Amino acid sequence: MTGERDSRRELPSVDRVLQESQDLISRWGHQRVSQVIREHLSNMRERISAGQEPERSILAIHCAINTQLSASDARGIRPVINLSGVVLHTNLGRACLPAAAAEAARQAAIFPNNLEYDLQTGKRGNRDSHVEPLICELTGSEAATVVNNNAAAVVLALSTLARGLEVPVSRGELVEIGGSFRVPEVMESSGCTLVEVGATNRTHLQDYRAAISAQTALLMKVHTSNYRLQGFTQSVDAKTLAELAHEHGLPCMVDLGSGCLVDFTALGLPGEPQASDYIANGIDLITFSGDKLLGGPQCGIIAGKKSLVERICKNPLKRALRVDSMILAALSEVLKLYRHPESLTETLPTLRQLTRPATQIEAQAVRLCDELASHLPPPFRAATSPCRSQIGSGALPVETLPSFAIAIESDQGRDSDLRHLATELRKLPRPVIGRIHDGRLLLDLRCLDCESLFLQQLPQLRDALSC
Ligand SMILES: *Cc1c(COP(=O)(O)O)cnc(C)c1O
């Protein structure tokens, strides 16, 4: 017992360690460093009580708290290398901005700007004015506004137009889209009552008709991509629904989800109805995401009839859901790129990644495979392999794109080896995210833009795996 007490007494005091930690204090501040030292010393005391023999020198303690402070600073948003095979990965930040948009956001972030200031008159301006004309131009709408994301766009539109009223919507469209997003829950949080009707195709137009009452606020459609293949020719169906709405003096609203502003089939991609088709077909209001297929920053776009958009902008909730100048600056640069649709597959990262030919990805896989293999100790083996990429973000979930991966196997066929490798890949300075599928760790190279960075890290990977 006395021995234990003695060894605990041998620990230096907090003040003593602090004296030796001027370098850490100047970096992280006195308060934080002393807090970490206190925690570390109390942790050491517990370990000593438990019969362990932690290194007690000031140098060792200094080193440990330095590691701990650095590690806690490393948390936060960090860039990663997305080799998951999902291009618009919601957990990995969805669309990557083009350089011009990122630069515009940076300028907006560090300088005062004309967010709500009219430089001509010197009077108060409107933040939507920076993107509204572009959105109108690209969608054929009369008016538009931008909020935090598409879920916010749906809530704001319904809260303005349907609070306390009924919204008939097809049962088949009340689905969960991407993990935790449930269309009915988001819609009802606006204070409207959903009236579920049978289905979405023509034969069920009667269901909508039967659901219309004096309490009906509007007719609504939610674009769920998994219907697209089954002949859900949205423009026709949405058009018919809009006609029914207009017969009853009601507006028709469509939540497009992804919102596509160009002809995808012309780019060799699976067809996706365009925002402008809906407006041309008489839909009064559309909402869509900024960071899905559009390839911009996170935001939600509301576009359509001027009278409706004006009401929406007067809703106090708009103030709670508005976006900042960084988002508007980035969005406006992205939208400008859409004025040159022919070059979008070069200028817009999302479309560049989605349209990368499999042959080009294969060539890259062949080029990198041996180098990666040479840095993998046993039991790992690497080979190139065809795979399928997903578009992601609930956009076209049933469609996949032919791609190429470096596929890594363990000689022993152990999944635990692959999980260990995946963990070490995630620990790299620029974490690499792959996916384990069918006994292989797949690194889908579709989104590998920073090839040299990836290669530079391989020696570190080898060191980590060898120890
Ligand atoms: C993704 C999606 C949403 C939500 O959009 P966020 O921008 O993620 O808020 C809403 N509706 C549909 C149909 C979607 O696909």
Side-chain angles (χ1 to χ4, degrees):
M1 150 149 199
T2 48
E4 185 192 282
R5 199 181 265 159
D6 284 345
S7 66
R8 260 185 280 174
R9 221 173 258 145
E10 273 172 40
L11 284 181
S13 68
V14 173
D15 281 341
R16 183 76 190 81
V17 183
L18 269 172
Q19 272 167 25
E20 299 297 324
S21 303
Q22 288 311 316
D23 55 334
L24 303 184
I25 291 169
S26 64
R27 177 139 178 231
W28 281 293
H30 189 276
Q31 200 186 340
R32 194 144 155 251
V33 174
S34 37
Q35 166 91 19
V36 171
I37 294 173
R38 252 192 301 277
E39 283 166 10
H40 188 74
L41 291 178
S42 108
N43 180 273
M44 282 178 80
R45 252 172 247 121
E46 277 170 31
R47 288 170 60 197
I48 292 167
S49 305
Q52 294 177 18
E53 300 262 321
E55 171 71 74
R56 290 184 187 76
S57 72
I58 294 212
L59 190 71
I61 294 169
H62 179 277
C63 184
I65 59 177
N66 186 15
T67 307
Q68 191 181 332
L69 284 160
S70 306
S72 73
D73 258 22
R75 290 191 205 111
I77 300 280
R78 292 168 57 194
V80 303
I81 300 180
N82 174 13
L83 307 187
S84 68
V86 181
V87 177
L88 295 166
H89 199 307
T90 297
N91 305 141
L92 302 181
R94 289 194 187 160
C96 302
L97 291 181
E103 176 55 21
R106 195 185 75 88
Q107 298 267 341
I110 62 179
F111 297 116
N113 54 59
N114 61 340
L115 174 64
E116 286 187 353
Y117 187 81
D118 185 325
L119 290 170
Q120 245 162 18
T121 62
K123 297 207 174 104
R124 191 198 159 103
N126 174 356
R127 67 179 64 209
D128 284 329
S129 69
H130 303 285
V131 290
E132 187 179 15
L134 276 161
I135 299 170
C136 292
E137 176 188 323
L138 294 166
T139 61
S141 306
E142 292 172 8
T145 184
V146 179
V147 288
N148 182 57
N149 57 16
N150 186 33
V154 171
V155 170
L156 178 61
L158 288 178
S159 151
T160 309
L161 306 174
R163 175 175 291 277
L165 296 171
E166 293 177 356
V167 177
V169 64
S170 161
R171 191 169 276 121
E173 293 170 4
L174 296 175
V175 292
E176 183 172 302
I177 297 167
S180 53
F181 173 69
R182 290 216 177 95
V183 173
E185 285 166 14
V186 171
M187 289 174 68
E188 286 189 320
S189 71
S190 70
C192 73
T193 303
L194 296 185
V195 180
E196 296 183 21
V197 306
T200 48
N201 57 32
R202 255 174 178 283
T203 48
H204 295 101
L205 191 64
Q206 299 308 326
D207 297 330
Y208 281 105
R209 201 189 298 277
I212 295 175
S213 75
Q215 294 304 303
T216 305
L218 51 85
L219 297 186
M220 175 155 183
K221 209 165 181 34
V222 180
H223 173 54
T224 58
S225 309
N226 39 351
Y227 281 132
R228 204 189 50 71
L229 286 181
Q230 281 81 48
F232 173 35
T233 49
Q234 287 88 345
S235 51
V236 177
D237 274 8
K239 184 178 185 187
T240 312
L241 191 66
E243 282 163 8
L244 177 67
H246 298 161
E247 266 172 41
H248 291 82
L250 301 170
C252 179
M253 166 176 164
V254 179
D255 171 12
L256 303 186
S258 239
C260 166
L261 298 179
V262 285
D263 179 3
F264 261 35
T265 55
L267 304 175
L269 287 169
E272 171 79 10
Q274 290 180 52
S276 55
D277 292 339
Y278 287 96
I279 298 297
N281 281 324
I283 312 309
D284 304 283
L285 207 62
I286 55 175
T287 67
F288 52 98
S289 284
D291 56 348
K292 292 185 180 173
L293 291 174
L294 187 71
Q298 180 194 302
C299 62
I301 296 170
I302 304 174
K305 289 264 154 60
K306 189 163 186 189
S307 56
L308 299 178
V309 174
E310 272 172 2
R311 281 174 65 193
I312 286 168
C313 288
K314 288 199 190 109
N315 186 334
L317 253 190
K318 168 77 198 314
R319 179 66 167 72
L321 301 173
R322 69 185 188 179
V323 292
D324 67 12
S325 54
M326 290 183 277
I327 297 292
L328 289 166
L331 179 63
S332 103
E333 289 308 311
V334 168
L335 292 173
K336 282 183 211 164
L337 297 177
Y338 277 91
R339 287 174 158 168
H340 308 275
E342 316 79 34
S343 46
L344 276 172
T345 56
E346 286 144 44
T347 54
L348 195 62
T350 297
L351 288 182
R352 187 175 67 228
Q353 291 167 346
L354 289 174
T355 57
R356 268 191 85 191
T359 50
Q360 193 197 89
I361 306 171
E362 178 178 17
Q364 188 180 28
V366 168
R367 197 165 65 236
L368 302 185
C369 188
D370 285 349
E371 180 146 7
L372 176 63
S374 73
H375 286 93
L376 289 176
F380 297 110
R381 270 182 290 123
T384 62
S385 168
C387 66
R388 312 279 307 180
S389 313
Q390 274 176 273
I391 293 170
S393 270
L396 306 169
V398 291
E399 307 280 0
T400 57
L401 307 168
S403 186
F404 255 83
I406 298 180
I408 303 166
E409 280 178 69
S410 158
D411 275 336
Q412 278 94 37
R414 279 197 305 246
D415 259 17
S416 59
D417 288 340
L418 297 180
R419 282 197 300 273
H420 174 56
L421 175 59
T423 305
E424 291 304 330
L425 283 163
R426 288 197 306 270
K427 281 192 202 156
L428 291 169
R430 177 75 58 106
V432 173
I433 317 292
R435 74 171 189 277
I436 294 175
H437 181 71
D438 259 354
R440 300 187 303 169
L441 175 65
L442 294 179
L443 303 177
D444 182 336
L445 301 189
R446 173 175 295 278
C447 299
L448 180 57
D449 285 332
C450 40
E451 191 178 303
S452 56
L453 206 96
F454 175 72
L455 291 176
Q456 268 168 35
Q457 302 191 113
L458 292 180
Q460 258 167 285
L461 178 66
R462 183 192 45 216
D463 294 346
L465 289 169
S466 307
C467 64

